[in-house]
């Protein structure tokens, strides 16, 4: 079991530089988890692709449904106090700290390519491209 941020999900479903790394992570551990917030962040990523003309609406919607299926039963509401404690001790956004708090709550690692998160919480956050 691991926690992934919204960008790792995007790397899995939207071909790019880190797609292979995301696929390898899924092969290694298919039990992906995330805070409920991931849905809004992911929709925003898809919205950007649609606005740039890189993804038609129906394809974006299909990708959203596929990601929701992957995380079905693995979405969590982190403790607000813990999220704010993490914000207080770092320069990371509350959005990002939700992913860290979720990983802590589940006793697992968070995978991301967000350097700020990796540097702020090295004991629990791992870059997608290693391990």
């Amino acid at each position: 079991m691991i926690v992934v941020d919204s960008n790792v999900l995007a790397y899995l479903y939207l071909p790019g530089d880190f797609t292979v790394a995301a696929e390898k992570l899924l092969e290694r551990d298919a039990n992906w988890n995330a805070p409920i917030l991931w849905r809004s962040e992911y929709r925003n990523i898809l919205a950007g692709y649609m606005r740039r003309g890189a993804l038609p609406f129906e394809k974006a919607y299909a990708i959203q449904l596929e990601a929701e299926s992957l995380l079905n039963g693995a979405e969590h509401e982190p403790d607000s106090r813990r999220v704010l404690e993490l914000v207080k001790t770092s320069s990371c956004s509350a959005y990002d700290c939700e992913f860290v708090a979720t990983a802590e709550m589940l006793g697992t690692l968070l995978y991301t390519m967000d350097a700020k998160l990796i540097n702020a919480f090295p004991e629990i956050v791992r870059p997608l491209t290693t391990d």
Side-chain angles (χ1 to χ4, degrees), residues 1-2 24-33 70-71 74:
M1 171 178 33
I2 58 174
K24 286 182 181 178
L25 182 62
L26 185 62
E27 287 174 13
R28 206 166 64 239
D29 190 333
N31 188 359
W32 286 17
N33 292 262
L70 176 67
L71 288 174

Side-chain angles (χ1 to χ4, degrees), residues 45-87:
I45 292 168
L46 294 173
Y49 275 78
M50 289 187 328
R51 287 190 178 115
R52 290 189 300 276
L55 200 59
F57 170 82
E58 291 301 331
K59 180 67 175 167
Y61 181 59
I63 290 171
Q64 177 72 33
L65 291 179
E66 193 170 343
E68 288 176 9
S69 177
L70 176 67
L71 288 174
N72 185 34
E75 297 170 286
H76 308 274
E77 186 64 52
D79 178 69
S80 293
R81 180 179 180 86
R82 185 59 186 144
V83 171
L84 293 173
E85 287 171 348
L86 293 167
V87 168

